[in-house]
């Protein structure tokens, strides 16, 4: 009787160990899947509703809020996010001032030339009728189009170099053991950000000198046609008045982070631009659709594997197959 009880106890212990081992493997697979999705800036995490996905997308990918509010499994930590934020601010500052210097140094270009005008309100009740309108100049249009596109491309590039999702489990290079590649990507990002900060500093001083030059030319009543060579001295650039344009950039940066980013991010997240199916523009609906299609494919494949197995191995293979099948199922992650 004691031997039989010992056998039952041993069998129960082995079953418990197997169960815990299976649960640990499934939990590890789930965390790898989430980590890979976070690194790829995924719109959807398994088991998340629309609202939860929107919150996690903003909290994980926002340049400023993501520093403190990112997911605990996110491959980008605090230090990497700070470096990306500094690089983004420096690149935006450099791009903004490069556009200004282009129009300032190019005699044929007029930054104040109006491309189109938007009439907002007409007031004819007062004794002096006036028309309120919003003019879009060449300078503004260049900043919003060329500057915005290049800035976004820079942000995404340093993001993917830092996260290096292709080297995470499930990525293209995961099977090659590319841990060193991830470290190399971080070093590349640090180097790029250092160079970007140096260029931004140079361009800021250049613009301050250019503004001082134009101010002195105006005070002296000399225009550019007279071709007078005049250089501002460094001691004339230590006044904050020469760097007043930085206040405007701080306002632009605040608008970009807290107005434009949430609005544009929500549009991309919703998938409206891609009708929920097109790559890059499909947003969350496309990712949900792909996930469900993959789950149906795995269930179909798993049921066929179980059906063709022998009776003795059916239980074991069924357990393993279901474990591989549903490791990213939405039901496993809660509501």
């Amino acid at each position: 009787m004691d031997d039989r009880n010992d056998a039952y106890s041993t069998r129960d212990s082995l079953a418990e160990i197997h169960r815990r081992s299976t649960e640990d493997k499934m939990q590890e697979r789930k965390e790898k899947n989430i980590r890979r999705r976070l690194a790829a800036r995924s719109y959807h995490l398994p088991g998340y509703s629309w609202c939860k996905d929107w919150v996690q997308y903003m909290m994980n990918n926002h340049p400023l809020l993501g520093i403190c509010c990112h997911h605990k499994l996110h491959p980008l930590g605090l230090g990497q996010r700070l470096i990306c934020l500094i690089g983004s601010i420096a690149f935006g500052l450099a791009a903004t001032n490069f556009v200004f210097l282009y129009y300032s140094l190019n005699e044929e270009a007029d930054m104040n030339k109006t491309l189109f005008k938007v009439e907002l309100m007409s007031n004819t009740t007062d004794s002096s009728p006036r028309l309120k309108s919003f003019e879009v100049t060449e300078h503004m249009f260049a900043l919003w189009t060329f500057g915005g596109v290049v800035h976004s491309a820079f942000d995404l590039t340093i993001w993917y170099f830092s996260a290096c999702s292709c080297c995470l489990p499930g990525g293209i290079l995961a099977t090659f053991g590319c841990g060193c590649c991830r470290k190399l990507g971080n070093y590349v990002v640090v180097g790029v950000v250092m160079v970007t900060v140096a260029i931004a500093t140079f361009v800021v001083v250049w613009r301050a000198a250019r503004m001082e030059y134009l101010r002195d030319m105006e005070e002296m009543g000399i225009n550019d046609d007279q071709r007078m060579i005049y250089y501002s001295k460094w001691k004339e650039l230590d006044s904050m008045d020469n760097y007043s344009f930085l206040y405007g950039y701080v306002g632009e940066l605040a608008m970009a982070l807290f107005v434009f980013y949430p609005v544009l991010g929500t549009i991309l997240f919703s998938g409206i631009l891609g009708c929920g199916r097109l790559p890059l523009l499909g947003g969350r609906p496309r990712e949900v659709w792909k996930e469900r299609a993959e789950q149906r494919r795995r269930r179909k494949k798993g049921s066929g594997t179980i059906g063709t197995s022998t009776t003795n191995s059916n239980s074991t293979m069924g357990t393993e197959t279901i474990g591989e099948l549903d490791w990213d199922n939405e039901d496993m992650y809660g509501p």
Side-chain angles (χ1 to χ4, degrees):
M1 181 66 68
D2 293 338
D3 294 340
R4 182 176 299 178
N5 291 334
D6 292 341
Y8 288 148
S9 177
T10 303
R11 186 181 64 180
D12 293 340
S13 299
L14 293 175
E16 180 66 18
I17 293 174
H18 177 73
R19 184 184 65 82
R20 291 182 180 180
S21 177
T22 303
E23 291 178 353
D24 292 341
K25 289 181 180 180
M26 294 175 65
Q27 180 67 21
E28 183 180 358
R29 290 177 180 178
K30 181 182 70 172
E31 292 180 356
K32 288 180 179 180
N33 179 40
I34 293 178
R35 190 175 293 110
R36 178 174 53 85
R37 294 192 181 204
L38 292 173
R41 302 172 69 97
S42 179
Y43 297 106
H44 172 63
L45 294 182
Y48 277 39
S49 62
W50 195 96
C51 294
K52 275 189 168 184
D53 272 330
W54 185 87
V55 172
Q56 70 83 16
Y57 179 76
M58 290 297 170
M59 294 298 100
N60 287 314
N61 301 311
H62 193 278
L64 187 60
L65 298 179
I67 294 177
C68 301
C69 304
H70 61 272
H71 196 282
K72 63 180 180 180
L73 295 177
H74 205 290
L76 280 187
L78 175 63
Q80 293 170 301
R81 288 177 179 271
L82 285 175
I83 292 174
C84 291
L85 178 62
I86 294 173
S88 178
I89 294 175
F91 187 89
L93 184 61
T96 301
N97 289 290
F98 266 127
V99 172
F100 171 83
L101 291 171
Y102 167 78
Y103 282 100
S104 179
L105 297 174
N106 190 355
E107 298 179 358
E108 299 180 356
D110 183 10
M111 71 171 65
N112 297 319
K113 180 180 179 181
T114 302
L115 293 180
F116 59 90
K117 181 186 296 185
V118 179
E119 297 181 357
L120 302 177
M121 182 184 301
S122 178
N123 187 0
T124 58
T125 58
D126 300 338
S127 57
S128 56
R130 57 184 180 179
L131 182 65
K132 295 182 178 180
S133 60
F134 177 75
E135 295 182 352
V136 177
T137 63
E138 285 191 2
H139 182 224
M140 297 169 60
F141 186 77
L143 288 177
W144 293 348
T145 54
F146 174 77
V149 171
V150 175
H151 194 178
S152 299
F154 176 83
D155 289 345
L156 290 175
T157 300
I158 62 175
W159 169 278
Y160 285 116
F161 265 98
S162 297
C164 198
S165 59
C166 60
C167 297
L168 293 174
I172 300 176
L173 303 177
T175 56
F176 298 97
C178 297
C180 58
C181 293
R182 293 200 64 198
K183 294 181 180 180
L184 178 61
N186 292 330
Y187 294 146
V188 170
V189 170
V190 172
V192 170
V193 170
M194 292 176 63
V195 173
T196 304
V197 171
I199 294 176
T201 304
F202 170 75
V203 174
V204 166
V205 176
W206 187 6
R207 176 171 178 176
R210 180 64 181 175
M211 292 181 66
E212 181 68 21
Y213 166 79
L214 295 176
R215 188 181 299 112
D216 290 346
M217 294 284 285
E218 183 178 357
E219 291 177 356
M220 296 171 62
I222 301 175
N223 54 37
D224 292 336
D225 295 335
Q226 295 175 299
R227 304 291 182 181
M228 177 180 179
I229 301 178
Y230 177 83
Y231 296 97
S232 297
K233 298 180 181 179
W234 177 259
K235 65 179 182 180
E236 297 174 344
L237 301 178
D238 57 0
S239 175
M240 288 302 297
D241 294 338
N242 296 318
Y243 302 93
S244 58
F245 58 89
L246 294 178
Y247 298 117
Y249 178 71
V250 171
E252 294 177 9
L253 184 64
M255 288 289 292
L257 290 176
F258 299 107
V259 178
F260 297 136
Y261 188 94
V263 172
L264 296 178
T266 301
I267 293 175
L268 293 174
F269 175 86
S270 65
I272 296 176
L273 300 178
C275 301
R277 289 294 184 269
L278 295 179
L280 301 179
L281 299 177
R284 181 182 184 272
R286 172 178 168 79
E287 293 190 3
V288 173
W289 171 71
K290 288 179 60 179
E291 182 182 69
R292 291 176 179 174
E294 181 66 16
Q295 289 175 1
R296 288 193 297 267
R297 185 187 67 81
R298 290 186 177 183
R299 288 194 182 98
K300 183 177 179 181
K301 181 180 179 181
S303 61
T305 303
I306 297 174
T308 57
S309 301
T310 61
T311 304
N312 293 333
S313 62
N314 191 26
S315 176
T316 304
M317 292 185 63
T319 303
E320 294 177 354
T321 306
I322 293 174
E324 295 179 358
L325 172 65
D326 294 331
W327 65 277
D328 59 349
N329 195 337
E330 291 184 2
D331 297 338
M332 294 176 55
Y333 293 79

